[in-house]
Amino acid sequence: MSDVGTADAVITGLGSAVRGLDGPWQLLSALPDGHREAADPVSRLSGRGLRYKDRATKLAMVAARDALRAAALLDEAGDLTVPGESVGVSASTNYGNADTVCETVRTIAESTYLGTSPMMLPATSSNVVASWVAITHGLRGANLTLCNGPTSGLDAVNWARLLIGSGRAERMLVVGVEPDNPAVRHVTGVAQERAGGVPELFDGAAALVVESRTSAEARGVRPLAVLGPYARRGRHADAVSEVRRRASGTVGLWCVPEHPEGVRAPAAGLGAAAGSAVPVHDLTALYGPASGALGVLQCAAGVVWLEGRSGAVDEVVLASAGTGDAGGDDAGAALLLLAAAGGAA
């Protein structure tokens, strides 16, 4: 995957669907007490056709709608304010429709293909999340889903930028989602849910609207953050060093990978003085292992942090996912978010 650094890709909208959180602006906080009893974000959906959609798709639809509205791409009636062909979708999920696939395999094993439903089989496609989000809102631009292990979320954000930079779309909706259900627990080997505390698996979604700065200016929309350099390497530290080499500024917040123990980024690579500590934000410790959703969650949380630091244009957010060979993953990825006021990658 190409390493890209351009100041022409900006984030203009955020959305989330996490039980216990009212919106993406709370992604810097822990889940509240009693979060398991909070309303299911999927309950915010209505209309026909929901019966045949898996949980990941429904969660993604909630976060996507909020992000599109926040970016002023939907009007009050829920209609697009720009041509549908100008908006694409880049989704990230590693376990998204595992429940549908497992159920389909079980049905075929027991009753042959004659026992399957014409509504079930299309939902076994690995691109079902991105497809339904696009169909729901009439987004006719480039459409893809990444199932790329722990770096998948950051990869999806970078692919959105690549598609914008290549002229395939003027703006991209990026969605990261993972469900918590029996099929995913079976695949991951996670035990049954226990009461209270941090969830054993993340169950939710986050979404971003990424577009060219020219597009945002033409629509009169204020950028929330700028996408800085991205790199994917075999070693986590190498990915971090590469993005830091291509962008100045002090790292004010580091969104760390899952299982950050053993992952070390040299102080110089983080832009910190030797011995000084960079504030760490571990979303896995707050919401449970998020797999393919993590990178998008990190970017959403990073945007919220930058918005709260208005005026500190020299500070950047580092998001990194995948531990690389330090933790047994095949790769590590890193991406910088820059303040919208003056970020140049």
Side-chain angles (χ1 to χ4, degrees):
M1 185 180 301
S2 300
D3 295 346
V4 176
T6 172
D8 194 44
V10 298
I11 296 173
T12 56
L14 304 178
S16 66
V18 182
R19 189 189 294 267
L21 300 185
D22 294 330
W25 58 89
Q26 293 185 319
L27 287 174
L28 296 176
S29 306
L31 291 170
D33 293 338
H35 62 88
R36 294 182 190 270
E37 288 72 48
D40 186 345
V42 168
S43 65
R44 293 159 52 192
L45 296 175
S46 61
R48 301 177 60 183
L50 293 176
R51 174 183 175 186
Y52 298 103
K53 294 180 176 65
D54 58 60
R55 179 161 181 80
T57 296
K58 294 174 185 177
L59 289 166
M61 288 170 63
V62 174
R65 182 179 62 188
D66 287 357
L68 291 170
R69 283 178 173 167
L73 290 175
L74 294 181
D75 61 22
E76 293 183 1
D79 297 324
L80 271 180
T81 59
V82 296
E85 59 270 18
S86 72
V87 188
V89 180
S90 173
S92 171
T93 182
N94 290 320
Y95 305 113
N97 63 342
D99 51 349
T100 304
V101 172
C102 289
E103 178 61 27
T104 301
V105 170
R106 186 181 305 111
T107 298
I108 293 175
E110 295 173 354
S111 308
T112 76
Y113 75 93
L114 295 174
T116 61
S117 161
M119 301 300 293
M120 177 188 291
L121 288 178
T124 61
S125 165
S126 59
N127 198 45
V128 66
V129 170
S131 296
W132 271 120
V133 168
I135 291 168
T136 299
H137 297 289
L139 312 180
R140 299 193 296 275
N143 187 279
L144 69 157
T145 296
L146 281 84
C147 310
N148 204 25
T151 66
S152 187
L154 292 181
D155 298 341
V157 175
N158 188 58
W159 269 104
R161 175 180 26 207
L162 288 171
L163 289 165
I164 292 169
S166 66
R168 292 288 303 279
E170 291 182 54
R171 45 196 75 88
M172 291 288 295
L173 174 63
V174 185
V175 184
V177 60
E178 295 293 0
D180 180 359
N181 55 43
V184 175
R185 287 176 177 270
H186 173 73
V187 171
T188 59
V190 173
Q192 289 300 111
E193 181 177 331
R194 62 177 183 271
V198 176
E200 296 84 0
L201 291 172
F202 176 70
D203 181 61
L208 319 167
V209 171
V210 178
E211 59 187 305
S212 67
R213 189 185 290 274
T214 301
S215 168
E217 290 175 350
R219 297 194 305 114
V221 176
R222 181 179 69 88
L224 304 176
V226 176
L227 290 184
Y230 158 92
R232 192 174 192 272
R233 298 287 187 272
R235 297 179 64 247
H236 173 269
D238 290 346
V240 171
S241 296
E242 177 60 22
V243 297
R244 293 300 293 130
R245 182 184 67 80
R246 291 189 280 133
S248 59
T250 300
V251 176
L253 184 72
W254 178 19
C255 294
V256 296
E258 290 182 12
H259 312 299
E261 59 275 4
V263 172
R264 297 288 182 269
L270 289 176
S276 64
V278 171
V280 166
H281 192 45
D282 187 350
L283 286 156
T284 300
L286 295 178
Y287 309 136
S291 192
L294 179 61
V296 185
L297 270 174
Q298 290 174 326
C299 289
V303 170
V304 173
W305 187 86
L306 287 170
E307 282 282 277
R309 304 280 291 185
S310 57
V313 296
D314 61 328
E315 290 184 304
V316 301
V317 173
L318 168 65
S320 62
T323 55
D325 58 8
D329 294 332
D330 68 329
L335 183 145
L336 293 180
L337 294 174
L338 316 175

